[in-house]
Amino acid sequence: ALVELLHSIGVQFNYYGGHSVGQFTCAYIDGNLNLEQTLKLAFWHGLVYSESKTVIDANAVVKLNSKLQLVWKNVSVDASSTFGMITGSQQVVAEQLRQMANAGFITEELPFCTLQCDSSKEATLASSLRQTINSVLSRIILPTQKWLTAKLPNVSSIFHSPKLHQPVSVISLLEQIPKHSNILQLGGSDFSSKLIKILNIKCNSVSKRIESLNHV
């Protein structure tokens, strides 16, 4: 509904990207899904994850520094090694952020949660997602160049792999934002502005005021 509202007031999307179920919204904007398919996929997608007994984890991001030694094991690092993502229970993440701050690291807790499953269950979860999604989709999703997707290794599909739900994929997505873009986040928590700031992504603005934007 919000996408249609934005279109009705003349807002045009130059690029769009989503994480987790946000990818369904992108597929809808991209013309790959109709509204009924989008709602069905979101529902069944959530049900599959619920039945897989995934764990809800808190998240934080840490800037890596060559002069500081990273001794914590539960920090996921991307290929460029410019940042790390911390995941775990709320208590574990809070304590680790305190220790990292004392050690001189720049950290930021992120106001969103992720669903984590045991690595031994990833193949089963991916298979369940594939079966569920294929029952709704009548054709393969082919993103246009406007759809910024998280590029992770060993992922055969946009929707089929649990790997696309790891918090590091959020960073992979945001790093593809063109410089000097106006960014509008659709959703409740304003986590993208914090990540964009700590990653030093050069954007003109991060705004929730949809009436002031002509292009997003």
Side-chain angles (χ1 to χ4, degrees):
L2 183 54
V3 170
E4 298 303 329
L5 173 61
L6 291 170
H7 284 162
S8 71
I9 62 175
V11 174
Q12 300 297 319
F13 296 96
N14 299 112
Y15 300 95
Y16 31 86
H19 176 254
S20 187
V21 292
Q23 295 177 108
F24 297 137
T25 302
C26 292
Y28 175 74
I29 299 173
D30 215 40
N32 282 283
L33 299 176
N34 59 36
L35 182 57
E36 180 181 353
Q37 289 173 318
T38 304
L39 294 175
K40 283 183 177 179
L41 283 176
F43 172 78
W44 289 111
H45 187 270
L47 189 62
V48 168
Y49 266 85
S50 175
E51 292 178 346
S52 299
K53 301 185 185 301
T54 50
V55 178
I56 298 177
D57 276 345
N59 296 278
V61 63
V62 55
K63 264 191 175 180
L64 302 183
N65 189 322
S66 59
K67 297 180 181 179
L68 298 173
Q69 184 178 5
L70 190 64
V71 297
W72 292 270
K73 294 182 179 180
N74 64 324
V75 179
S76 302
V77 181
D78 79 328
S80 63
S81 299
T82 58
F83 68 91
M85 288 294 296
I86 309 164
T87 58
S89 68
Q90 189 71 43
Q91 294 79 5
V92 168
V93 170
E95 174 59 22
Q96 188 160 328
L97 290 181
R98 185 188 66 79
Q99 294 177 14
M100 284 184 160
N102 290 338
F105 286 94
I106 299 174
T107 62
E108 183 71 58
E109 188 171 3
L110 302 175
F112 72 96
C113 298
T114 53
L115 298 175
Q116 299 287 348
C117 70
D118 189 281
S119 58
S120 63
K121 298 179 181 178
E122 278 193 1
T124 301
L125 178 56
S127 177
S128 297
L129 287 173
R130 184 176 297 108
Q131 293 176 19
T132 301
I133 291 167
N134 287 346
S135 67
V136 177
L137 297 180
S138 58
R139 58 187 175 84
I140 297 175
I141 296 291
L142 298 174
T144 67
Q145 292 184 347
K146 289 186 176 183
W147 183 356
L148 305 178
T149 59
K151 293 179 172 61
L152 296 178
N154 303 320
V155 175
S156 59
S157 167
I158 295 170
F159 302 135
H160 293 169
S161 174
K163 292 183 181 296
L164 284 175
H165 300 269
Q166 294 177 353
V168 70
S169 66
V170 179
I171 308 296
S172 172
L173 179 66
L174 292 178
E175 286 184 327
Q176 298 178 59
I177 296 175
K179 291 182 179 180
H180 310 301
S181 298
N182 291 319
I183 299 176
L184 174 64
Q185 179 179 314
L186 306 181
S189 63
D190 190 23
F191 74 87
S192 63
S193 60
K194 289 188 174 183
L195 280 175
I196 287 168
K197 182 178 180 180
I198 200 170
L199 291 172
N200 197 30
I201 297 174
K202 304 298 183 182
C203 299
N204 287 337
S205 65
V206 178
S207 175
K208 286 187 174 182
R209 297 180 56 196
I210 60 176
E211 69 274 11
S212 67
L213 296 178
N214 292 321
H215 295 278
V216 180

